[in-house]
Amino acid sequence: MINLLRADFKRLFKSRVTISLAVLYALYALVMIVFIVAVDQSRGGGYGKELMAWVFVQTYSIFGTFPVAGCGVMILAAVLVGADFRNGTIRNKLISGHGRTETYLSSFIAVAVTALAFTAEYYLIMCAVGLPIYGGMALSAENAAWFVFDGSLTVVSYAAVATFLTYTVRRYEASLTIGILAAFAMCIVTGLLISAATQPEFIDEWVGWEADGSPIFETVPNPDKLSPAVEKFLLQLSYVFPSSQCHWYYRGGAPTWEFAAYSGALTVLFSAAGAGVFAKRNLN
């Protein structure tokens, strides 16, 4: 396993795509800092610490819609696994005496650890540049640690899904395309599920105009409000996707043990399924 990991990490770190991803993560952190500085100044100042806390939880997605972590992990998996299938490296690993489960797990670990390194890169740059500007952020050390812990598990579960997908598809270009589309699809689906499950009980409905031209609103029951049982089911269903955490963080939600448990379950499920499928697959 050690030799496999050494070889996998070497290929990832030598890849121009991986280097480009590292640069993009650094730029992402810097752009977010520039963004909150501009927002703070436009509001007259005094909001820096709150904005820093908001940026801190944007590591995994932009505004809860663009799956930064998901796309990054899918690209890494395609670079490593897809390229290995294309170049015949997978077959060479097996011929040299490495087991299929060992080979699969080595790929998963390499993708997961590299993705976590990119996450750490974002945190380090964001904190190194942003904290001296505002002198801190409106987020306790305990909550910040929770976000890092829960978010890291989210990234690992993304890596499990990405490794499963690339070992199933096997082709570099196809796994790259399908992986990125899957990351966006998961983000869209979880957004719709969470939105449907968190509808307010009442809404303001426009009913006409005042004599002076101002609109008249009336508070009425929300026709899109679902029953508590259905809402709970949709929320539980949204937790199946790693992207659900990204949406909750963007909405101001806090990380929970439930998220961590779902991420762990996803990682075990997809890793076991992927290793099992690969163990029986004919490489001819």
Side-chain angles (χ1 to χ4, degrees):
M1 175 69 84
I2 298 299
N3 291 334
L4 280 174
L5 285 172
R6 186 181 295 114
D8 286 341
F9 279 121
K10 183 178 180 180
R11 279 196 302 281
L12 274 177
F13 292 146
K14 288 179 64 176
S15 170
R16 292 181 179 178
V17 177
T18 306
I19 296 172
S20 299
L21 279 175
V23 173
L24 287 175
Y25 261 82
L27 291 175
Y28 174 42
L30 293 173
V31 167
M32 292 301 283
I33 292 297
V34 172
F35 172 74
I36 66 170
V37 168
V39 172
D40 185 43
Q41 291 179 349
S42 70
R43 295 180 177 181
Y47 297 93
K49 291 185 178 181
E50 288 76 12
L51 290 169
M52 275 294 296
W54 179 79
V55 167
F56 189 84
V57 301
Q58 296 299 308
T59 311
Y60 314 103
S61 69
I62 302 176
F63 306 126
T65 55
F66 187 92
V68 176
C71 287
V73 171
M74 294 297 179
I75 293 171
L76 286 173
V79 167
L80 178 62
V81 181
D84 276 0
F85 274 108
R86 182 181 60 185
N87 302 331
T89 306
I90 291 288
R91 186 186 300 275
N92 293 337
K93 289 179 179 179
L94 301 179
I95 292 174
S96 62
H98 296 291
R100 293 198 176 209
T101 300
E102 183 184 20
T103 300
Y104 184 93
L105 291 178
S106 175
S107 299
F108 160 65
I109 293 171
V111 170
V113 171
T114 306
L116 289 174
F118 287 157
T119 302
E121 176 192 9
Y122 173 89
Y123 280 134
L124 290 173
I125 294 175
M126 186 272 292
C127 291
V129 178
L131 291 181
I133 296 176
Y134 296 113
M137 59 182 171
L139 191 67
S140 68
E142 181 181 357
N143 285 336
W146 257 109
F147 275 113
V148 173
F149 172 73
D150 196 44
S152 297
L153 291 179
T154 300
V155 171
V156 172
S157 65
Y158 263 127
V161 174
T163 306
F164 171 83
L165 183 64
T166 48
Y167 264 91
T168 301
V169 177
R170 297 195 292 179
R171 291 179 176 84
Y172 174 78
E173 292 81 3
S175 61
L176 179 61
T177 303
I178 295 173
I180 292 177
L181 290 176
F184 276 98
M186 286 189 288
C187 204
I188 292 171
V189 169
T190 52
L192 293 174
L193 290 173
I194 293 173
S195 178
T198 56
Q199 288 290 319
E201 187 174 355
F202 296 95
I203 58 173
D204 292 331
E205 185 178 75
W206 175 79
V207 294
W209 301 95
E210 298 279 7
D212 60 0
S214 59
I216 302 174
F217 292 96
E218 181 180 335
T219 301
V220 299
N222 185 357
D224 297 325
K225 181 67 174 177
L226 303 173
S227 67
V230 174
E231 289 180 342
K232 183 177 181 180
F233 170 75
L234 292 180
L235 284 177
Q236 294 296 325
L237 183 60
S238 73
Y239 295 159
V240 172
F241 303 94
S243 49
S244 62
Q245 286 92 320
C246 304
H247 281 280
W248 278 116
Y249 296 164
Y250 173 67
R251 290 166 174 259
T256 65
W257 280 111
E258 191 174 23
F259 281 150
Y262 270 93
S263 294
L266 279 176
T267 300
V268 173
L269 175 63
F270 275 95
S271 296
V277 170
F278 180 57
K280 300 178 180 180
R281 167 153 286 180
N282 187 347
L283 297 181
N284 294 329

